[in-house]
Amino acid sequence: MQIDFAAVLAYAFGLLLLYIVGRILIMPLKIVLKLMYNALIGGVVLLLLNFLGGYIGLHIALNPVTALVVGFLGVPGVIMLVVLQYILAG
């Protein structure tokens, strides 16, 4: 029994190609999942801030712009909106 070097090389190349294609397909999925996670956590923090901020007079309007900021930046986006609200109100 003799092992064909060309067949082994073809299998190795096929596995490498499969790995590369898998990495290319999984990267956008990781980005989408990270954005969804940021949006979820930021939205919950924004809702809690609006609920608890009502007692001290702090309210961040929920509109498409604030939703996009919180969705992309997460909790730092909520902090940025609070700082902007403080600067614009004062």
Side-chain angles (χ1 to χ4, degrees), residues 16-85:
L16 179 66
L17 197 62
L18 185 64
Y19 174 76
I20 291 171
V21 168
R23 292 288 292 184
I24 289 171
L25 291 176
I26 212 88
M27 287 173 69
L29 184 62
K30 284 183 180 180
I31 293 169
V32 168
L33 289 176
K34 185 176 179 181
L35 282 175
M36 287 175 46
Y37 176 74
N38 277 349
L40 181 68
I41 297 299
V44 168
V45 170
L46 186 61
L47 287 174
L48 286 173
L49 177 76
N50 280 336
F51 179 71
L52 297 174
Y55 296 113
I56 59 172
L58 179 66
H59 176 73
I60 303 294
L62 188 56
N63 56 41
V65 174
T66 59
L68 283 173
V69 168
V70 171
F72 281 116
L73 299 177
V75 176
V78 173
I79 294 170
M80 183 184 77
L81 290 172
V82 168
V83 169
L84 281 173
Q85 178 74 19

